[in-house]
Amino acid sequence: MCGIVGYVGTQQAAPILLEGLSRLEYRGYDSAGVCVEQNGVLKVEKAKGRLQNLIAKTENGALLPGTLGIGHTRWATHGEPNDTNSHPHVSQNGKIAVVHNGIIENYLELREFLQQKGVQFASQTDTEVVAQLMEYCMGLPEVETVSDALYMVLHRIEGAYALGILCSDDPDHVYAARKDAPLLIGFGEGENFIASDVTALVKYTRDVVYMDDGEVAVLGRDGVQVYNAMELPIEKEHHHIDWEISAAEKGGYEHFMLKEIMEEPEALRRAILPRIKDGAVVFDGLMLDSSCYDCIKIIACGSSYHVGMVGKYNLEKLTRMPVEVILASEFRYCSPIVNERTLAIIISQSGETLDTMAALREAKSLGARILSIVNVVGSSIARESDDVLYTWAGPEIAVATTKAYSTQMAVLDLLAVYLAAQRNTISAEEANRLTAAIAALPAQVEQILSSREQIQYYASQYFNHDSVFFIGRNLDYALGMEGSLKLKEISYIHSEAYASGELKHGTISLIEPGTLVIALGTYGPLFDKAMSNVIEVKARGASVLALTTENRREALSSRVDGILTIPETELPLLPLLGVVPLQLFAYYVALQRGCDIDKPRNLAKSVPAGVFYGSTRFRLPGRIRFSLRMLSECGMMKKTEKGVFL
Ligand code: G6P
């Protein structure tokens, strides 16, 4: 996902922009660029590939003097990753520079319109349309200010955007606008910032404001003014960032992923312990009467979806409510049966995944109550939910999620116990036992981490396999889904997860001598069945690495080629412990294979949707209604079946 940084102040902008961009690298990108204003001229430098190329090209910003600028890491959507398509995009007369995160859906139509007016485009991107349209609007006789032009542009573009804009005619301000893509403002002394996420700013300020959809911000050295879609100035709530910059640094580890795995015990303590009081689960501020709901829909993408799979087993078993877990990217297209008696649980680390956001809005519009489990405080999903349970995992930088996954699951486990106790579907004794077991998880994860050399050893044995199958039943199946995803995303080994019982319906034909099967047998009640599947694949020559609980090691040792174990815990909690060895296994395999672990190819930490959803129109700001006639005259008015729109 693209990253944006902007700066206005008294320090040199370029080094600050580059530093900020380096903090956003984890989001995934394939080129980077910066634009700095100097004596009324906008100077741009871009470089394909790693940010380091841009840092070298600009001598860490020294070749771009100036105290006002914008920067961008681009994740290519429209047009291949190259210097031309990278942001910032500059308008034809060189006076407007734009960085953009999101997708302008109607860019082709606007591009055609501008081309008819004689505008020559340099790139294939949707973003360049914004720069050229800004220039065009600035030239209209009735447009007096950059803000006028910006609102006019916002009213004309459709899609998702976070925008950072410079205009050389106004060299004291950075302009920003947001719709369905994250953007926040950082406040400093005589300097102000914009960024896609707080990690880019935390070195400079901890005082931030999250922009909402439809808002525009004008940042100067001495202050920032935010306007709503009606172009009225508004006051925004300030948030204080309380985590240390070290939380977003590697702290001596070779990779963020390993650091974040090692942080799991601490993250789990933060997620769990404040929610247990006197041996019972409490969620401060949560007023959720589960008798108001007939069913639960869990909606998420990627690893968060896998947490939801575990959640389905546990919530159904403990609360006896029907639970469906649905991929957010499918939700809008599957005619979901949702109404005001539906509790929708939205799970998202970033709180910005657009498919998840779109599903949230769909569920909300159908009447569901939205409870989200989110890591990033103040993110869009958190703000649009009726209730938010934060995971408090701290910043997660590696693309492959680890501590966020574990804390999401811990929060969902706590919620399952909380709802079950409320509904009297488990006894007080069982609730106490489960709660105590949840409280013990951080120390048990510590225990697993302390024996990571053994996992590293197995990784060294199996790292050169081309194809791996994870098999398991019930919770072990859900666990296998995440183990398999971790392995394939960072090591590029083809890997699939199957419910063991499905092996005989096709997959077993792929098992041949030497195929690696990771057999998950942590779930005691189905251990014997898991064993029978191990026997089946062994009989066909597979190498089997098993994961089970400590007390079953003996029962397995003669039947498999390697064993990883986790401590004993209550059944619903097994996947939370089981995932840790699988995360480490994937990490060490990828390390052996020399992969770019923190930034795997083609993947991004936070994923925008390819197609925008919902209403894409920006409300007409009062002050520019005057321009309706003018736009009509210049051909920017569009007639549709429903009437006339800008
Ligand atoms: C990307 C990340 C995954 C994550 C998924 C959903 O694919 O690489 O780690 O699980 O998005 O993201 P979210 O932020 O909504 O949990």
Side-chain angles (χ1 to χ4, degrees):
M1 194 185 197
C2 306
I4 289 177
V5 185
Y7 175 79
V8 51
T10 51
Q11 302 186 62
Q12 288 301 301
I16 291 173
L17 298 174
L18 292 167
E19 155 72 20
L21 292 179
S22 73
R23 306 266 171 200
L24 300 180
E25 278 191 282
Y26 74 96
R27 294 163 69 92
Y29 70 103
D30 40 41
S31 60
V34 285
C35 173
V36 175
E37 185 276 337
Q38 191 196 3
N39 302 325
V41 177
L42 300 180
K43 299 252 166 117
V44 175
E45 280 297 349
K46 307 175 183 186
K48 186 181 166 185
R50 290 287 180 227
L51 181 65
Q52 200 50 45
N53 302 344
L54 183 65
I55 292 173
K57 199 169 175 182
T58 60
E59 295 183 4
N60 199 20
L63 299 180
L64 285 174
T67 57
L68 176 91
I70 48 179
H72 190 263
T73 45
R74 173 174 185 250
W75 172 260
T77 53
H78 295 71
E80 63 174 285
N82 60 28
D83 286 4
T84 316
N85 289 332
S86 310
H87 303 209
H89 287 284
V90 178
S91 68
Q92 201 166 243
N93 66 7
K95 289 188 166 192
I96 306 285
V98 174
V99 289
H100 166 222
N101 176 10
I103 292 174
I104 307 299
E105 285 176 13
N106 60 339
Y107 82 105
L108 283 174
E109 178 195 323
L110 293 170
R111 190 179 164 108
E112 212 172 285
F113 165 79
L114 290 164
Q115 279 169 333
Q116 280 164 12
K117 302 281 171 195
V119 176
Q120 307 257 329
F121 280 80
S123 77
Q124 301 154 308
T125 63
D126 54 332
T127 304
E128 190 185 347
V129 161
V130 178
Q132 304 290 14
L133 196 56
M134 274 294 289
E135 177 185 316
Y136 176 80
C137 292
M138 291 287 289
L140 294 173
E142 288 168 75
V143 169
E144 290 169 8
T145 66
V146 181
S147 299
D148 287 345
L150 177 55
Y151 271 103
M152 203 175 279
V153 167
L154 296 182
H155 196 69
R156 193 64 185 81
I157 58 179
E158 295 173 6
Y161 49 79
L163 292 166
I165 300 176
L166 300 185
C167 174
S168 59
D169 287 345
D170 181 6
D172 293 318
H173 294 106
V174 172
Y175 290 80
R178 172 202 151 119
K179 187 161 194 330
D180 292 305
L183 195 61
L184 55 95
I185 303 164
F187 293 76
E189 290 287 322
E191 58 184 4
N192 293 299
F193 310 78
I194 53 168
S196 304
D197 99 36
V198 76
T199 47
L201 302 185
V202 77
K203 182 168 174 189
Y204 306 102
T205 179
R206 285 158 185 284
D207 179 10
V208 303
V209 153
Y210 297 98
M211 288 182 74
D212 283 303
D213 283 351
E215 290 176 355
V216 163
V218 184
L219 291 85
R221 289 179 175 82
D222 297 328
V224 177
Q225 183 60 61
V226 182
Y227 300 88
N228 64 14
M230 301 302 289
E231 218 179 333
L232 298 171
I234 51 170
E235 290 298 320
K236 298 276 296 175
E237 185 190 350
H238 284 236
H239 295 259
H240 181 73
I241 306 303
D242 55 9
W243 47 264
E244 295 300 320
I245 185 71
S246 58
E249 290 173 344
K250 282 190 201 155
Y253 287 96
E254 197 177 342
H255 296 99
F256 279 111
M257 183 176 174
L258 184 59
K259 176 185 178 240
E260 287 159 6
I261 293 172
M262 298 305 286
E263 284 172 347
E264 283 182 55
E266 213 33 59
L268 285 166
R269 282 189 184 100
R270 281 197 300 270
I272 294 169
L273 299 187
R275 289 168 170 144
I276 298 179
K277 292 200 179 114
D278 300 327
V281 178
V282 284
F283 288 106
D284 285 337
L286 182 68
M287 310 274 277
L288 185 65
D289 178 358
S290 59
S291 67
C292 296
Y293 306 101
D294 296 332
C295 67
I296 295 174
K297 308 275 181 197
I298 302 179
I299 306 166
C301 295
S303 295
S304 300
Y305 171 78
H306 296 155
V307 171
M309 285 179 70
V310 173
K312 175 184 161 65
Y313 285 110
N314 288 342
L315 279 160
E316 280 191 337
K317 189 170 176 190
L318 296 176
T319 70
R320 305 313 295 153
M321 286 176 86
V323 180
E324 191 182 1
V325 52
I326 312 169
L327 286 165
S329 54
E330 290 292 316
F331 184 76
R332 279 168 291 159
Y333 314 114
C334 66
S335 314
I337 300 172
V338 170
N339 55 37
E340 55 291 337
R341 291 198 58 83
T342 305
L343 175 64
I345 300 179
I346 309 284
I347 308 177
S348 175
Q349 186 285 130
S350 63
E352 300 292 351
T353 304
L354 271 188
D355 277 329
T356 310
M357 185 68 175
L360 179 159
R361 288 180 179 170
E362 177 83 7
K364 203 176 198 174
S365 73
L366 294 169
R369 171 150 175 176
I370 310 293
L371 185 158
S372 64
I373 297 176
V374 173
N375 190 35
V376 177
V377 176
S379 55
S380 304
I381 288 173
R383 284 180 292 150
E384 293 204 16
S385 300
D386 297 311
D387 305 287
V388 187
L389 301 178
Y390 282 114
T391 51
W392 298 322
E396 192 178 66
I397 308 295
V399 166
T401 181
T402 52
K403 63 176 179 173
Y405 172 94
S406 302
T407 51
Q408 285 169 346
M409 199 180 287
V411 172
L412 203 51
D413 287 337
L414 287 165
L415 185 67
V417 175
Y418 174 85
L419 292 177
Q422 191 184 76
R423 297 168 69 81
N424 283 322
T425 45
I426 55 173
S427 64
E429 189 202 356
E430 192 178 355
N432 291 344
R433 215 178 51 238
L434 283 167
T435 307
I438 294 173
L441 289 169
Q444 291 182 306
V445 170
E446 244 155 27
Q447 195 185 325
I448 298 168
L449 294 175
S450 68
S451 59
R452 62 188 183 282
E453 286 75 19
Q454 196 203 11
I455 301 165
Q456 192 166 12
Y457 165 77
Y458 284 121
S460 73
Q461 299 296 298
Y462 295 120
F463 76 92
N464 54 7
H465 280 253
D466 295 331
S467 190
V468 178
F469 295 95
F470 287 73
I471 58 170
R473 288 170 188 263
N474 196 273
L475 286 171
D476 281 328
Y477 167 49
L479 171 63
M481 294 292 289
E482 178 61 7
S484 170
L485 177 63
K486 281 285 90 74
L487 186 67
K488 77 178 83 155
E489 68 182 334
I490 60 168
S491 74
Y492 315 144
I493 294 176
H494 169 249
S495 154
E496 295 184 45
Y498 283 94
S500 309
E502 286 297 294
L503 269 179
K504 57 183 172 294
H505 298 297
T507 319
I508 202 154
S509 65
L510 296 172
I511 306 292
E512 53 186 18
T515 304
L516 177 60
V517 173
I518 300 190
L520 307 175
T522 69
Y523 190 70
L526 295 174
F527 181 76
D528 291 342
K529 280 193 174 291
M531 274 307 87
S532 65
N533 296 121
V534 165
I535 291 164
E536 273 170 9
V537 294
K538 278 301 286 175
R540 285 152 183 90
S543 299
V544 176
L545 176 62
L547 177 73
T548 189
T549 49
E550 273 151 13
N551 66 355
R552 291 201 167 77
R553 179 187 280 277
E554 277 305 305
L556 263 173
S557 57
S558 59
R559 302 180 183 179
V560 296
D561 302 283
I563 304 180
L564 299 170
T565 58
I566 54 170
E568 299 295 334
T569 183
E570 294 292 324
L571 290 178
L573 312 181
L574 285 161
L576 200 150
L577 296 181
V579 78
V580 180
L582 301 185
Q583 292 168 345
L584 284 166
F585 182 74
Y587 172 79
Y588 286 121
V589 166
L591 191 67
Q592 289 273 351
R593 291 166 72 95
C595 298
D596 192 352
I597 293 179
D598 286 336
K599 295 171 221 144
R601 68 185 180 208
N602 305 335
L603 292 177
K605 182 77 182 157
S606 183
V607 182
V611 179
F612 188 66
Y613 52 86
S615 164
T616 57
R617 298 276 170 195
F618 200 80
R619 280 181 77 190
L620 183 65
R623 268 188 53 207
I624 65 159
R625 288 210 181 93
F626 69 86
S627 54
L628 271 169
R629 179 182 48 77
M630 176 186 68
L631 290 171
S632 166
E633 283 162 9
C634 70
M636 281 180 68
M637 188 85 91
K638 193 166 80 172
K639 284 205 169 102
T640 76
E641 284 161 11
K642 291 187 184 158
V644 178
F645 292 93
L646 283 175

